[in-house]
């Protein structure tokens, strides 16, 4: 028995044909789109606008704010009344206007940064800005009833 190996030299090899969308199984007359996600990605939320009060994105930002607690008072900064305003644009820009209990608050330097970081981490928010204001000054009347109940003020 002889073992022989044959070799052949070739100049080039034809490329195999590429698969085409038109080669796919019969779609029943429905035209296929190149990007099957294009319709899904173009959809907008129905009902309330996502960036307005009651909308999913706006409420997600509020929930993120309710997860931040004042280190001296065991109440979140939203119920404490430190958040004066939340604006969310359709393109995902969030602007939070807030204050602190006092300008001499020990977290005056770190709290706005934490708020910005937490809000920017909300899915759907592209970037966040925090505007720290002192006028009008914070007072206990700005607290929610939940906060007053938590602190035994009701």
């Amino acid at each position: 028995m002889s073992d022989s190996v044959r070799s052949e030299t070739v100049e080039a090899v034809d490329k195999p044909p590429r698969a085409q969308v038109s080669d796919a199984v019969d779609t029943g007359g429905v035209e296929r789109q190149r990007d099957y996600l294009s319709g899904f990605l173009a959809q907008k939320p129905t009902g309330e606008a996502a960036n307005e009060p009651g909308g999913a994105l706006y409420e997600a930002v509020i929930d993120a704010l309710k997860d931040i607690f004042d280190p001296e008072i065991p109440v979140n900064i939203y119920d404490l009344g430190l958040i004066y305003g939340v604006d969310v644009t359709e393109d995902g820009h969030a602007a939070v206007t807030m204050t602190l209990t006092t300008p001499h608050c020990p977290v005056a330097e770190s709290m706005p940064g934490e708020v910005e970081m937490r809000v920017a981490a909300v899915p759907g928010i592209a970037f966040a800005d925090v505007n720290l204001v002192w006028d009008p000054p914070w007072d206990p009347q700005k607290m929610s009833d939940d906060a007053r109940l938590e602190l035994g003020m009701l």
Side-chain angles (χ1 to χ4, degrees):
M1 203 182 314
S2 113
D3 290 327
S4 65
V5 176
R6 291 195 217 176
S7 67
E8 179 181 344
T9 304
V10 294
E11 294 295 320
V13 175
D14 293 335
K15 289 184 179 179
R18 294 183 63 180
Q20 300 292 320
V21 173
S22 59
D23 296 338
V25 179
D26 181 24
T27 59
V30 176
E31 185 178 328
R32 257 182 90 135
Q33 297 178 353
R34 276 191 86 70
D35 183 1
Y36 67 94
L37 288 176
S38 63
F40 174 76
L41 295 175
Q43 290 179 357
K44 298 288 182 197
T46 56
E48 297 163 1
N51 61 318
E52 294 178 5
L57 186 57
Y58 183 90
E59 295 303 322
V61 169
I62 299 300
D63 288 343
L65 293 170
K66 287 182 177 182
D67 284 341
I68 304 170
F69 285 79
D70 185 289
E72 298 176 315
I73 306 170
V75 175
N76 70 67
I77 63 172
Y78 189 82
D79 287 334
L80 196 55
L82 298 179
I83 304 300
Y84 287 174
V86 175
D87 295 312
V88 181
T89 64
E90 287 183 14
D91 60 349
H93 175 229
V96 177
T97 303
M98 68 173 292
T99 192
L100 298 172
T101 53
T102 174
H104 305 292
C105 181
V107 293
E109 291 182 23
S110 62
M111 182 66 75
E114 181 177 357
V115 170
E116 183 177 334
M117 184 178 65
R118 294 274 189 103
V119 170
V122 172
I125 297 296
F127 56 97
D129 289 322
V130 174
N131 304 313
L132 187 61
V133 298
W134 301 109
D135 188 37
W138 178 86
D139 66 68
Q141 296 301 316
K142 296 188 185 317
M143 290 191 292
S144 70
D145 289 342
D146 290 340
R148 288 191 186 125
L149 184 62
E150 181 73 27
L151 297 174
M153 297 174 71
L154 275 182

